[in-house]
Amino acid sequence: VQLQASGGGLVQAGGSLRLSCSASGGTFRRLTTGWFRQAPGKEREFVAAFKWTDASPYHADSVKGRFSISRDNTKNTVYLQMNNLKPEDTAVYYCAAGGRLISSSLPNPAAYDYWGQGTLVTVSS
């Protein structure tokens, strides 16, 4: 499975961006897909995931109410809509995919088998 992330950029605080991650080479509808981010000098952090087994979205507490993950199986694409962005959201955002993940595994990067190349999001104050 190959993942290609796009949509990052520079935005002012309070603004919005939508990230996209297109997948190829696998059965997309049977993949759990997630977004992680990594700021300079920090560990990779879970942002959101969409679990295919129950078609449910999961979001980290730090982004609940501001970010929303969704997916379009007809386009083999997962999205991350980011609203009310804050400077602390600045990071490289990575999309990831894996097979049958249980809910408790979603925040663990090691649970995912496939990773995209990352897209940089910079939020200015």
Coordinates of all heavy atoms in Angstrom, one line a residue, residues 44-121:
R44 N 6.2 11.4 17.7 CA 5.1 11.4 16.8 C 3.8 11.2 17.6 O 3.7 10.4 18.5 CB 5.2 10.2 15.8 CG 4.2 10.3 14.6 CD 4.7 9.4 13.5 NE 5.9 9.9 12.9 CZ 6.4 9.5 11.8 NH1 5.8 8.5 11.1 NH2 7.6 10.0 11.3
E45 N 2.8 12.0 17.3 CA 1.6 12.1 18.1 C 0.4 11.7 17.3 O 0.2 12.2 16.2 CB 1.5 13.6 18.6 CG 0.2 13.9 19.4 CD 0.0 15.4 19.6 OE1 0.6 16.2 18.9 OE2 -0.7 15.7 20.6
F46 N -0.5 10.9 17.9 CA -1.7 10.5 17.3 C -2.7 11.7 17.2 O -2.8 12.5 18.1 CB -2.4 9.4 18.1 CG -3.8 9.1 17.7 CD1 -4.0 8.4 16.5 CD2 -4.9 9.5 18.4 CE1 -5.3 8.0 16.1 CE2 -6.2 9.2 18.1 CZ -6.4 8.4 16.9
V47 N -3.3 11.8 16.0 CA -4.3 12.9 15.8 C -5.7 12.4 15.6 O -6.6 12.8 16.3 CB -3.9 13.8 14.6 CG1 -5.0 14.8 14.3 CG2 -2.5 14.4 14.7
A48 N -5.8 11.4 14.7 CA -7.2 10.9 14.4 C -7.0 9.6 13.7 O -6.0 9.4 13.0 CB -8.0 11.9 13.7
A49 N -8.1 8.8 13.7 CA -8.1 7.6 12.9 C -9.5 7.2 12.6 O -10.5 7.6 13.2 CB -7.5 6.4 13.7
F50 N -9.7 6.4 11.5 CA -11.0 6.0 11.1 C -10.8 4.5 10.9 O -10.1 3.9 10.1 CB -11.3 6.6 9.7 CG -12.8 6.5 9.4 CD1 -13.6 7.6 9.6 CD2 -13.4 5.4 9.0 CE1 -15.0 7.6 9.3 CE2 -14.7 5.3 8.7 CZ -15.5 6.4 8.8
K51 N -11.6 3.8 11.8 CA -11.5 2.3 11.9 C -12.5 1.7 10.9 O -13.7 2.0 11.1 CB -11.7 1.9 13.3 CG -11.2 0.5 13.6 CD -11.1 0.2 15.1 CE -12.5 0.1 15.7 NZ -12.6 -0.4 17.1
W52 N -12.0 0.9 10.0 CA -12.9 0.3 9.0 C -13.8 -0.7 9.5 O -14.9 -0.8 9.0 CB -12.1 -0.3 7.8 CG -11.5 -1.6 8.1 CD1 -10.2 -1.9 8.6 CD2 -12.1 -2.9 7.9 NE1 -10.0 -3.2 8.7 CE2 -11.1 -3.9 8.3 CE3 -13.3 -3.3 7.4 CZ2 -11.4 -5.2 8.2 CZ3 -13.6 -4.6 7.3 CH2 -12.6 -5.6 7.7
T53 N -13.5 -1.4 10.6 CA -14.3 -2.4 11.1 C -15.7 -1.9 11.6 O -16.7 -2.7 11.6 CB -13.6 -3.2 12.2 OG1 -13.1 -2.3 13.2 CG2 -12.4 -4.0 11.6
D54 N -15.7 -0.7 12.2 CA -17.0 -0.2 12.7 C -17.3 1.2 12.0 O -18.2 1.8 12.5 CB -17.0 -0.1 14.2 CG -15.9 0.8 14.7 OD1 -15.2 1.5 13.9 OD2 -15.7 0.8 16.0
A55 N -16.5 1.6 11.0 CA -16.7 2.8 10.3 C -16.8 4.0 11.3 O -17.7 4.9 11.1 CB -17.9 2.7 9.4
S56 N -16.0 4.0 12.3 CA -16.1 5.1 13.3 C -14.8 5.9 13.3 O -13.7 5.4 13.2 CB -16.2 4.4 14.7 OG -17.5 3.8 14.8
P57 N -15.0 7.2 13.5 CA -13.8 8.1 13.6 C -13.4 8.2 15.1 O -14.2 8.1 16.0 CB -14.3 9.4 13.1 CG -15.8 9.4 13.5 CD -16.2 8.0 13.4
Y58 N -12.1 8.4 15.3 CA -11.5 8.6 16.6 C -10.6 9.8 16.5 O -9.9 9.9 15.6 CB -10.8 7.4 17.1 CG -11.6 6.1 17.2 CD1 -12.0 5.4 16.2 CD2 -12.1 5.8 18.5 CE1 -12.8 4.2 16.3 CE2 -12.9 4.6 18.7 CZ -13.2 3.9 17.5 OH -14.0 2.8 17.7
H59 N -10.7 10.7 17.5 CA -9.9 11.9 17.6 C -9.1 12.0 18.9 O -9.7 11.7 20.0 CB -10.7 13.1 17.3 CG -11.4 13.1 16.0 ND1 -12.6 12.5 15.8 CD2 -11.1 13.6 14.8 CE1 -13.0 12.6 14.5 NE2 -12.1 13.3 13.9
A60 N -7.9 12.5 18.8 CA -7.2 12.8 20.1 C -7.9 13.9 20.8 O -8.5 14.8 20.2 CB -5.8 13.2 19.7
D61 N -7.8 13.9 22.1 CA -8.5 15.0 22.9 C -8.0 16.4 22.5 O -8.7 17.3 22.6 CB -8.2 14.8 24.4 CG -8.9 13.5 24.9 OD1 -9.9 13.1 24.3 OD2 -8.5 13.1 26.0
S62 N -6.7 16.5 22.1 CA -6.2 17.8 21.8 C -6.8 18.4 20.5 O -6.6 19.6 20.3 CB -4.7 17.7 21.6 OG -4.3 16.8 20.6
V63 N -7.5 17.6 19.7 CA -8.0 18.2 18.5 C -9.5 18.0 18.4 O -10.1 18.4 17.4 CB -7.4 17.5 17.2 CG1 -5.8 17.7 17.3 CG2 -7.7 16.1 17.1
K64 N -10.1 17.4 19.4 CA -11.6 17.2 19.4 C -12.3 18.5 19.3 O -12.0 19.5 20.0 CB -12.0 16.4 20.6 CG -11.9 14.9 20.5 CD -12.4 14.2 21.8 CE -12.2 12.7 21.7 NZ -12.6 12.0 22.9
G65 N -13.3 18.5 18.4 CA -14.1 19.8 18.2 C -13.4 20.7 17.2 O -14.1 21.6 16.8
R66 N -12.2 20.4 16.8 CA -11.5 21.3 15.8 C -11.2 20.5 14.5 O -11.3 21.0 13.4 CB -10.2 21.9 16.4 CG -10.5 22.8 17.6 CD -9.2 23.5 18.0 NE -8.1 22.6 18.4 CZ -6.9 22.6 17.8 NH1 -6.7 23.5 16.8 NH2 -6.0 21.8 18.1
F67 N -10.7 19.3 14.7 CA -10.3 18.4 13.6 C -11.4 17.4 13.3 O -12.0 16.9 14.3 CB -9.0 17.8 13.8 CG -7.8 18.7 13.9 CD1 -7.9 20.1 13.9 CD2 -6.5 18.2 13.9 CE1 -6.8 20.9 14.0 CE2 -5.4 19.0 13.9 CZ -5.6 20.4 14.0
S68 N -11.5 16.9 12.1 CA -12.4 15.9 11.8 C -11.8 15.0 10.7 O -11.4 15.5 9.6 CB -13.8 16.5 11.3 OG -14.7 15.4 11.0
I69 N -11.8 13.7 11.0 CA -11.3 12.7 10.0 C -12.5 12.2 9.2 O -13.5 11.9 9.8 CB -10.5 11.6 10.6 CG1 -9.8 10.8 9.6 CG2 -11.3 10.8 11.6 CD1 -8.8 9.8 10.1
S70 N -12.3 12.0 7.9 CA -13.3 11.3 7.1 C -12.6 10.6 6.0 O -11.4 10.7 5.8 CB -14.3 12.4 6.6 OG -13.7 13.3 5.7
R71 N -13.4 9.7 5.3 CA -12.8 9.0 4.2 C -13.8 8.8 3.1 O -15.0 8.8 3.4 CB -12.2 7.7 4.7 CG -13.2 6.8 5.4 CD -12.4 5.6 6.0 NE -12.2 4.5 5.1 CZ -11.3 3.6 5.3 NH1 -10.5 3.6 6.4 NH2 -11.2 2.6 4.4
D72 N -13.3 8.7 1.9 CA -14.2 8.4 0.8 C -13.6 7.1 0.1 O -12.6 7.1 -0.5 CB -14.1 9.5 -0.2 CG -15.0 9.4 -1.4 OD1 -15.4 8.2 -1.7 OD2 -15.4 10.4 -2.0
N73 N -14.3 6.0 0.4 CA -13.8 4.7 -0.2 C -13.8 4.7 -1.7 O -13.1 3.9 -2.3 CB -14.6 3.6 0.4 CG -14.3 3.3 1.9 OD1 -13.3 3.8 2.4 ND2 -15.2 2.7 2.6
T74 N -14.7 5.4 -2.3 CA -14.7 5.4 -3.8 C -13.5 6.1 -4.4 O -13.2 5.9 -5.5 CB -16.0 6.1 -4.3 OG1 -15.9 7.5 -4.0 CG2 -17.3 5.5 -3.7
K75 N -12.9 7.0 -3.6 CA -11.7 7.7 -4.1 C -10.4 7.2 -3.4 O -9.3 7.7 -3.6 CB -11.8 9.2 -3.8 CG -13.0 9.8 -4.6 CD -13.0 11.3 -4.4 CE -14.1 11.9 -5.2 NZ -14.2 13.4 -4.9
N76 N -10.5 6.2 -2.5 CA -9.4 5.6 -1.8 C -8.6 6.8 -1.1 O -7.4 6.8 -1.1 CB -8.4 4.9 -2.7 CG -9.0 3.6 -3.2 OD1 -10.1 3.2 -2.8 ND2 -8.2 2.9 -4.0
T77 N -9.4 7.6 -0.4 CA -8.8 8.8 0.2 C -9.3 9.1 1.6 O -10.5 8.9 1.8 CB -9.1 10.1 -0.7 OG1 -8.5 9.9 -2.0 CG2 -8.4 11.3 -0.1
V78 N -8.5 9.4 2.5 CA -8.8 9.8 3.8 C -8.5 11.3 4.0 O -7.5 11.8 3.4 CB -8.2 9.0 4.9 CG1 -6.7 9.1 4.8 CG2 -8.7 9.3 6.3
Y79 N -9.4 12.1 4.7 CA -9.2 13.5 4.8 C -9.0 13.8 6.3 O -9.5 13.1 7.2 CB -10.4 14.2 4.3 CG -10.7 13.9 2.8 CD1 -11.7 13.0 2.5 CD2 -10.0 14.6 1.8 CE1 -12.0 12.7 1.2 CE2 -10.3 14.3 0.5 CZ -11.3 13.3 0.2 OH -11.5 13.0 -1.2
L80 N -8.4 15.0 6.5 CA -8.4 15.5 7.9 C -8.7 17.0 7.7 O -7.9 17.8 7.2 CB -7.0 15.4 8.5 CG -6.9 15.9 9.9 CD1 -7.7 15.0 10.9 CD2 -5.4 15.9 10.4
Q81 N -9.9 17.4 8.1 CA -10.3 18.7 8.1 C -9.9 19.4 9.4 O -10.3 18.9 10.5 CB -11.9 18.8 8.0 CG -12.4 20.3 8.0 CD -12.0 21.1 6.8 OE1 -12.0 20.6 5.7 NE2 -11.6 22.3 7.1
M82 N -9.1 20.5 9.3 CA -8.6 21.1 10.5 C -9.1 22.5 10.6 O -8.8 23.3 9.7 CB -7.0 21.1 10.4 CG -6.5 19.7 10.3 SD -4.7 19.7 10.4 CE -4.2 20.6 8.9
N83 N -9.9 22.8 11.6 CA -10.4 24.2 11.8 C -9.9 24.8 13.0 O -9.3 24.1 13.9 CB -11.9 24.1 11.9 CG -12.6 23.5 10.6 OD1 -12.1 23.8 9.5 ND2 -13.7 22.7 10.8
N84 N -10.0 26.1 13.1 CA -9.5 26.8 14.3 C -8.1 26.4 14.7 O -7.8 26.1 15.8 CB -10.5 26.6 15.5 CG -10.2 27.5 16.7 OD1 -9.6 28.6 16.5 ND2 -10.6 27.1 17.8
L85 N -7.2 26.5 13.7 CA -5.9 26.0 13.9 C -5.1 26.9 14.9 O -5.4 28.1 14.9 CB -5.1 26.0 12.6 CG -5.5 24.7 11.7 CD1 -5.1 25.0 10.3 CD2 -4.7 23.5 12.3
K86 N -4.2 26.3 15.7 CA -3.4 27.0 16.7 C -2.0 26.8 16.3 O -1.6 25.8 15.7 CB -3.7 26.4 18.0 CG -5.2 26.5 18.4 CD -5.4 25.8 19.8 CE -6.9 25.8 20.2 NZ -7.1 25.1 21.5
P87 N -1.1 27.8 16.8 CA 0.3 27.6 16.5 C 0.9 26.3 17.0 O 1.8 25.7 16.4 CB 0.9 28.8 17.3 CG -0.1 29.8 17.3 CD -1.4 29.0 17.4
E88 N 0.3 25.7 18.1 CA 0.8 24.4 18.6 C 0.4 23.3 17.7 O 0.8 22.1 17.9 CB 0.3 24.2 20.0 CG -1.2 24.3 20.2 CD -1.6 25.7 20.8 OE1 -1.0 26.7 20.3 OE2 -2.4 25.8 21.6
D89 N -0.4 23.5 16.7 CA -0.7 22.5 15.7 C 0.4 22.4 14.6 O 0.3 21.5 13.8 CB -2.1 22.8 15.0 CG -3.2 22.7 16.0 OD1 -3.3 21.8 16.8 OD2 -4.1 23.6 15.9
T90 N 1.3 23.3 14.6 CA 2.4 23.2 13.7 C 3.2 21.9 13.8 O 3.7 21.6 14.9 CB 3.3 24.4 13.9 OG1 2.6 25.6 13.6 CG2 4.6 24.3 13.0
A91 N 3.3 21.2 12.7 CA 4.0 19.9 12.7 C 4.0 19.4 11.2 O 3.3 19.9 10.4 CB 3.3 18.9 13.6
V92 N 4.7 18.3 11.1 CA 4.6 17.5 9.9 C 3.5 16.5 10.1 O 3.5 15.8 11.2 CB 5.9 16.8 9.5 CG1 5.7 15.9 8.3 CG2 7.0 17.8 9.2
Y93 N 2.5 16.4 9.3 CA 1.4 15.5 9.4 C 1.6 14.3 8.5 O 1.9 14.5 7.3 CB 0.1 16.2 9.1 CG -0.4 17.1 10.2 CD1 0.3 18.3 10.5 CD2 -1.4 16.8 11.0 CE1 -0.1 19.1 11.5 CE2 -1.9 17.6 12.1 CZ -1.1 18.8 12.3 OH -1.5 19.6 13.4
Y94 N 1.4 13.1 9.1 CA 1.6 11.9 8.4 C 0.3 11.1 8.4 O -0.4 11.0 9.4 CB 2.7 11.0 9.0 CG 4.0 11.6 9.1 CD1 4.4 12.4 10.2 CD2 5.0 11.4 8.1 CE1 5.7 12.9 10.2 CE2 6.2 11.9 8.1 CZ 6.6 12.7 9.2 OH 7.9 13.2 9.2
C95 N 0.0 10.5 7.2 CA -1.1 9.6 7.2 C -0.5 8.1 7.3 O 0.6 7.9 6.9 CB -2.0 9.7 6.0 SG -1.1 9.5 4.4
A96 N -1.3 7.3 7.9 CA -0.9 5.9 8.1 C -2.1 5.0 7.9 O -3.2 5.4 7.9 CB -0.4 5.8 9.5
A97 N -1.8 3.7 7.6 CA -2.8 2.8 7.4 C -2.4 1.4 8.0 O -1.2 1.1 8.0 CB -3.2 2.6 5.9
G98 N -3.4 0.7 8.4 CA -3.1 -0.7 8.9 C -4.3 -1.5 8.7 O -5.4 -1.1 8.2
G99 N -4.2 -2.8 9.2 CA -5.3 -3.7 9.0 C -6.3 -3.6 10.1 O -6.8 -2.5 10.5
R100 N -6.6 -4.7 10.7 CA -7.6 -4.8 11.8 C -7.0 -4.3 13.1 O -6.3 -5.1 13.8 CB -8.1 -6.2 11.9 CG -9.3 -6.3 12.9 CD -9.7 -7.8 13.0 NE -10.4 -8.2 11.8 CZ -11.7 -8.1 11.5 NH1 -12.5 -7.6 12.5 NH2 -12.2 -8.5 10.4
L101 N -7.2 -3.0 13.4 CA -6.7 -2.5 14.7 C -7.8 -2.4 15.7 O -8.9 -2.0 15.4 CB -6.1 -1.1 14.5 CG -4.6 -1.0 14.0 CD1 -4.5 -1.4 12.5 CD2 -4.2 0.5 14.1
I102 N -7.5 -2.7 16.9 CA -8.4 -2.5 18.0 C -8.4 -1.0 18.4 O -7.3 -0.4 18.2 CB -8.2 -3.5 19.2 CG1 -6.8 -3.3 19.8 CG2 -8.4 -4.9 18.7 CD1 -6.6 -4.2 21.0
S103 N -9.4 -0.6 19.1 CA -9.5 0.8 19.4 C -8.3 1.3 20.3 O -7.7 2.4 20.1 CB -10.8 1.1 20.2 OG -11.9 0.8 19.3
S104 N -7.9 0.4 21.2 CA -6.8 0.8 22.1 C -5.4 0.9 21.4 O -4.5 1.6 21.9 CB -6.6 -0.2 23.3 OG -6.4 -1.5 22.7
S105 N -5.3 0.4 20.2 CA -4.1 0.4 19.4 C -4.0 1.7 18.5 O -2.9 2.0 18.0 CB -3.9 -0.8 18.6 OG -3.8 -2.0 19.4
L106 N -5.1 2.3 18.3 CA -5.2 3.4 17.3 C -4.1 4.5 17.6 O -3.5 5.0 16.6 CB -6.5 4.0 17.3 CG -7.7 3.1 16.7 CD1 -9.0 3.8 16.8 CD2 -7.4 2.7 15.3
P107 N -3.8 4.9 18.8 CA -2.8 5.9 19.0 C -1.4 5.5 18.9 O -0.5 6.3 19.0 CB -3.1 6.4 20.5 CG -4.4 5.8 20.8 CD -4.6 4.6 20.1
N108 N -1.2 4.2 18.7 CA 0.2 3.7 18.7 C 0.7 3.6 17.3 O 0.3 2.8 16.4 CB 0.2 2.3 19.3 CG 1.6 1.7 19.4 OD1 2.6 2.3 19.0 ND2 1.7 0.4 19.8
P109 N 1.8 4.4 17.0 CA 2.3 4.4 15.6 C 2.8 3.0 15.1 O 2.7 2.7 14.0 CB 3.5 5.4 15.7 CG 3.2 6.3 16.8 CD 2.4 5.4 17.8
A110 N 3.3 2.2 16.1 CA 3.8 0.9 15.7 C 2.7 0.0 15.2 O 3.0 -1.1 14.6 CB 4.5 0.3 16.9
A111 N 1.4 0.3 15.5 CA 0.3 -0.6 15.1 C 0.0 -0.4 13.6 O -0.7 -1.2 13.0 CB -0.9 -0.3 15.9
Y112 N 0.6 0.6 12.9 CA 0.3 0.8 11.5 C 1.4 0.3 10.6 O 2.5 0.4 10.9 CB 0.1 2.4 11.3 CG -1.1 2.9 12.0 CD1 -1.0 3.2 13.4 CD2 -2.3 3.2 11.3 CE1 -2.1 3.7 14.1 CE2 -3.4 3.7 12.0 CZ -3.3 4.0 13.4 OH -4.4 4.5 14.0
D113 N 0.9 -0.3 9.5 CA 1.9 -0.9 8.6 C 2.4 0.0 7.5 O 3.5 -0.3 7.0 CB 1.2 -2.1 7.9 CG 0.7 -3.1 9.0 OD1 1.5 -3.5 9.8 OD2 -0.5 -3.5 8.9
Y114 N 1.6 1.0 7.2 CA 2.0 1.8 6.0 C 2.0 3.3 6.4 O 1.1 3.7 7.1 CB 1.0 1.6 4.9 CG 0.8 0.1 4.6 CD1 -0.4 -0.6 5.0 CD2 1.8 -0.7 3.9 CE1 -0.6 -1.9 4.8 CE2 1.6 -2.0 3.6 CZ 0.4 -2.6 4.1 OH 0.2 -4.0 3.8
W115 N 2.9 4.0 5.8 CA 3.0 5.5 6.1 C 3.2 6.3 4.8 O 3.9 5.8 3.9 CB 4.2 5.7 7.1 CG 4.0 5.2 8.4 CD1 4.2 3.9 8.9 CD2 3.4 5.9 9.5 NE1 3.8 3.8 10.2 CE2 3.4 5.0 10.6 CE3 3.0 7.2 9.7 CZ2 2.9 5.4 11.9 CZ3 2.5 7.6 10.9 CH2 2.5 6.7 12.0
G116 N 2.6 7.5 4.8 CA 2.9 8.4 3.8 C 4.1 9.2 4.1 O 4.7 9.1 5.2
Q117 N 4.4 10.2 3.2 CA 5.7 10.9 3.3 C 5.6 12.1 4.2 O 6.6 12.7 4.6 CB 6.1 11.4 1.9 CG 5.5 12.6 1.4 CD 4.1 12.5 1.0 OE1 3.4 11.5 1.1 NE2 3.5 13.6 0.5
G118 N 4.4 12.5 4.6 CA 4.2 13.7 5.5 C 4.0 15.0 4.7 O 4.5 15.2 3.6
T119 N 3.2 15.8 5.3 CA 3.0 17.2 4.7 C 3.1 18.2 5.9 O 2.5 18.0 7.0 CB 1.6 17.2 4.0 OG1 1.5 18.5 3.4 CG2 0.5 16.9 4.9
L120 N 3.8 19.3 5.6 CA 4.0 20.3 6.7 C 2.9 21.2 6.8 O 2.4 21.9 5.8 CB 5.3 21.0 6.3 CG 5.7 22.2 7.3 CD1 6.0 21.6 8.7 CD2 6.9 22.9 6.8
V121 N 2.4 21.4 8.1 CA 1.4 22.4 8.4 C 2.1 23.4 9.3 O 2.6 23.0 10.4 CB 0.2 21.8 9.1 CG1 -0.7 22.8 9.6 CG2 -0.5 20.8 8.1

